[in-house]
Amino acid sequence: MTMSHTGGRRRPPTIHDVAREAGVSRGTVSRVLNGGHYVSPAAQEAVDAAIRRTGYVVNRHARSLITGRSDSVGFLLTEPQERFFEDPNFNVLLRGCTQALAAHDVPLLLMLAGTQDERRRITRYITAGHVDGVLLVSSHSGDPVAEELREAGVPLVACGKPIGLGSKVSYVAADDRDGARDMVRHLLSLGRRRIGVVTGPLDTPGGVERLAGYREVLAEAGIAADERLVVSGDYSRASGEAGAERLLARTPDMDAVFVASDLMAQGVLAALHRAGKRVPDDVAVGGFDDSPAATAASPALTTIRQPWDRISTEMVRVLLAQLGGEDPAAVILPTELVRRDST
């Protein structure tokens, strides 16, 4: 490892040390560090090997002064802080995005903005240039963050299609509607006909699309719509429990429930158990996400698997492409029915 000593103290390796070790010019090393444009494969390999041997670490602050970029990305969750710790999906997505960005040596900054004041402060921070782009999670209609960031020219990728922004913002989403259709068809295949639903928030794309899929399949099966079988939740366990209680009070003959998240489904199972309903004998229960909450439930949940690894990888890919000058893009990924003991 190349390392100089000054006054008995080790000096960290510099770009000059890397260039000398690799046998190339300082300019070549600089081009490698800034994306590898106009660098031959042989020179790229020599510089990469020299960086490993010398232990050179990029001085991000110095580089940001030159490039005008922060070399970091924000992971923005516009939900109350307690939701981040309760809902396992957020942690899975955060971990996946962190790993995908680490492969490009880009750090990820977690930002929680659950109140209007917090969203205003975070928006000011982002538009001041403290991050190069944003991965936006949980965008409700009426939430101005996505629109404000877009108007400010901040590269942005949303998890799920932001309601009302259409093709103006890049997004990566699971096929919520098709996943809901698969679950309701599965419940119908078991002979269930009085199928309730606990929706997600109806100001979010997942809430709207999963309810639409539920309704479409019942209509295809010739089952008349019964709004007493539809209640809304907010993806929390408590809202699932309250939703199941409302369904049981309205429609005691209900024989199945499609729940728009696994965490809410845990609450539904608790309410059914308290009411003396056996799962799946009396009431079959299907969730959505295939999060850790699905396997932790008792009985284990039949659910719709969202491909979280692919969602996080694609969000990072699309954002980095935008940072490289590409136009906004939309990616919709398929879901999968996972059968367990609750149906």
Side-chain angles (χ1 to χ4, degrees):
M1 177 181 292
T2 301
M3 189 72 76
S4 298
H5 294 262
T6 304
R9 187 178 63 186
R10 277 189 163 187
R11 174 179 67 78
T14 68
I15 192 172
H16 300 283
D17 298 322
V18 174
R20 185 168 55 252
E21 184 78 19
V24 299
S25 69
R26 182 185 177 280
T28 297
V29 176
S30 180
R31 286 195 295 276
V32 168
L33 295 174
N34 286 285
H37 302 293
Y38 311 111
V39 177
S40 70
Q44 175 84 46
E45 186 176 340
V47 171
D48 289 343
I51 288 172
R52 289 193 298 271
R53 287 196 297 271
T54 60
Y56 174 76
V57 176
V58 176
N59 184 329
R60 291 187 177 278
H61 176 67
R63 190 164 74 179
S64 70
L65 294 176
I66 298 169
T67 64
R69 288 174 55 168
S70 71
D71 283 333
S72 62
V73 166
F75 183 97
L76 175 56
L77 178 64
T78 57
E79 294 282 358
Q81 290 190 18
E82 57 268 21
R83 287 291 312 284
F84 175 73
F85 296 103
E86 180 190 26
D87 193 326
N89 293 327
F90 296 141
N91 288 286
V92 172
L93 191 62
L94 175 62
R95 183 172 64 248
C97 290
T98 301
Q99 291 172 343
L101 284 166
H104 299 274
D105 197 27
V106 176
L108 185 65
L109 278 62
L110 173 62
M111 303 173 177
L112 302 178
T115 67
Q116 190 173 2
D117 285 343
E118 288 171 348
R119 285 191 282 272
R120 276 198 294 264
R121 285 195 297 271
I122 289 292
T123 300
R124 285 199 303 269
Y125 179 84
I126 292 169
T127 54
H130 293 293
V131 295
D132 294 326
V134 173
L135 302 169
L136 177 64
V137 183
S138 189
S139 180
H140 296 257
S141 63
D143 178 356
V145 170
E147 179 65 20
E148 289 176 8
L149 294 179
R150 188 192 70 82
E151 289 180 352
V154 176
L156 170 71
V157 179
C159 181
K161 183 178 181 179
I163 293 177
L165 291 180
S167 60
K168 297 177 183 177
V169 171
S170 291
Y171 66 90
V172 178
D175 194 333
D176 291 300
R177 186 176 299 213
D178 196 55
R181 287 193 291 248
D182 283 345
M183 178 58 74
V184 179
R185 288 189 187 114
H186 171 62
L187 295 171
L188 288 170
S189 75
L190 301 174
R192 311 299 171 122
R193 289 296 180 269
R194 296 287 288 163
I195 303 174
V197 61
V198 182
T199 77
L202 295 179
D203 62 349
T204 63
V208 170
E209 291 294 307
R210 293 170 202 179
L211 176 59
Y214 161 86
R215 285 181 164 148
E216 285 174 6
V217 172
L218 291 184
E220 289 170 4
I223 298 175
D226 184 347
E227 288 305 308
R228 293 176 302 164
L229 286 165
V230 179
V231 299
S232 62
D234 62 8
Y235 291 139
S236 70
R237 189 183 191 279
S239 73
E241 193 165 352
E245 289 172 350
R246 292 199 301 276
L247 287 172
L248 288 168
R250 294 177 185 178
T251 55
D253 61 339
M254 177 180 68
D255 58 13
V257 191
F258 166 46
V259 193
S261 83
D262 295 338
L263 192 61
M264 286 198 301
Q266 283 191 339
V268 168
L269 291 172
L272 291 172
H273 177 74
R274 194 164 52 247
K277 299 287 187 179
R278 297 169 299 162
V279 177
D281 301 41
D282 300 324
V283 182
V285 178
F288 203 107
D289 291 332
D290 198 28
S291 70
T295 50
S298 180
L301 277 171
T302 292
T303 188
I304 296 296
R305 175 174 294 156
Q306 294 204 63
W308 291 111
D309 288 346
R310 287 191 64 193
I311 290 172
S312 54
T313 300
E314 285 297 300
M315 286 180 69
V316 168
R317 183 189 67 78
V318 172
L319 183 61
L320 293 179
Q322 273 188 260
L323 292 174
E326 294 187 17
D327 292 332
V331 179
I332 298 177
L333 299 170
T335 57
E336 178 187 356
L337 175 68
V338 180
R339 295 175 176 84
R340 296 195 180 96
D341 298 334
S342 66
T343 62

